[in-house]
Each structure stands twice: as C-alpha cells, then as structure tokens.
C-alpha cells in the first residue's frame, strides 16, 4: 500500500525569535512566532507524514493549549511522531518540501536542512528535497512578515 500526505504551516516572523528551518538555526534578525520553536518546515513535514499514515495531525498530537509544548523542539516532536509511524509499519519513500520566504536566501542552507530532516526521519538524504520560493514582494511573505512551508510525503507499507 502507498499513501500520500500533504502538510502545511505558516508563522509570523518577529524580532527576538530564532529562525529554525528543518531543525537548522538560520542566522537572521527575525524568527518564527509559534507555540513551539516555530519550525514551519518540520511542522509541515510532521503533518504530511501524519496525514499519509492516517494517525492524526500535529495539533492532535501536541495541542498548543498544553503548556508542556511551549517552546518545544520540533525535532523532538517529529521524532515522537515517527516512532508511532514506524511502529504502525509505514516506511518513508520520499519527502518533498517548499518553503516560501523573502529573506534570508535559503540556498546556502539547503544541504544542511536536507541532512537534518533525513537524520530525524532516519532516511537517506536523497529521499528528502527542499526548495524555496519568494513572495515576489507580495503579501505577508513578500514583505518579510511571515514564512510558509508545504510538504508532501509518500509512505509505503
């Protein structure tokens, strides 16, 4: 059996927070405003995998109203989910992601982010790909006020 999942996340960018993408801290003056560490990319990956496996979504696993998830490390959240996904007999075939952000430029960090996600998921680097798009100076993304991520995944059993 094969199943496809789609994940999405969006966060406001604010001063005084770290910018974390795929578990990698990216030097920038703004970071994601979120209940956890705000890693939009890992949140999208988590939701894509949960959707494909039929095991829920990130909000049902880690309710934002629960104080214990405040400032949580998104790598830990994804590892927790992956334990259940692998125990249910699923295998990751591939992950494909898009990050939308105006600044900073993502390309210099892409390989580190891919390696980070692959390590968390315990898969090969070539099973993960991440590309970036700008907002073309339009809307909250284009004006540097937000960051958005999409992810699809293919699971097999």
């Amino acid at each position: 059996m094969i199943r496809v999942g789609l994940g999405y996340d969006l966060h406001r960018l604010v001063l005084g927070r770290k910018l974390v993408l795929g578990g990698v801290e990216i030097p920038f003056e703004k970071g994601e405003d979120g209940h956890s560490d705000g890693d939009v990319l890992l949140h999208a990956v988590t939701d894509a995998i949960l959707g494909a496996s039929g095991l829920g979504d990130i909000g049902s696993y880690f309710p934002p109203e629960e104080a214990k998830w405040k400032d949580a490390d998104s790598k830990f959240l994804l590892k927790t989910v992956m334990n259940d996904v692998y125990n249910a007999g699923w295998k990751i075939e591939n992950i494909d992601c898009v990050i939308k952000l105006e600044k900073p430029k993502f390309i210099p960090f892409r390989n580190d982010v891919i390696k980070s996600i692959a390590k968390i998921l315990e898969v090969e680097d070539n099973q993960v790909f991440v590309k970036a798009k700008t907002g073309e100076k339009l809307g909250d993304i284009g004006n540097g006020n937000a960051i958005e991520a999409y992810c699809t995944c293919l699971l097999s059993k």
Side-chain angles (χ1 to χ4, degrees), residues 51-110:
S53 66
L55 293 176
D57 61 39
I58 196 169
S60 61
Y61 259 74
F62 311 105
E65 58 274 3
E66 290 186 18
K68 68 180 177 179
W69 304 121
K70 178 71 176 142
D71 298 322
D73 183 338
S74 294
K75 292 182 289 191
F76 170 79
L77 303 181
L78 181 53
K79 285 179 185 180
T80 300
V81 162
M82 289 314 302
N83 186 53
D84 288 353
V85 170
Y86 290 142
N87 285 338
W90 292 104
K91 176 185 171 201
I92 293 176
E93 296 297 332
N94 81 301
I95 300 287
D96 187 33
C97 308
V98 176
I99 299 173
K100 286 187 67 180
L101 75 164
E102 199 66 27
K103 291 180 183 174
K105 292 293 182 195
F106 177 71
I107 295 301
F109 306 100
R110 178 169 38 204

Side-chain angles (χ1 to χ4, degrees), residues 11 17 33-38 63-67 69-72:
H11 282 289
R17 293 276 298 199
D33 186 18
H35 184 71
S36 66
D37 62 9
E65 58 274 3
E66 290 186 18
W69 304 121
K70 178 71 176 142
D71 298 322

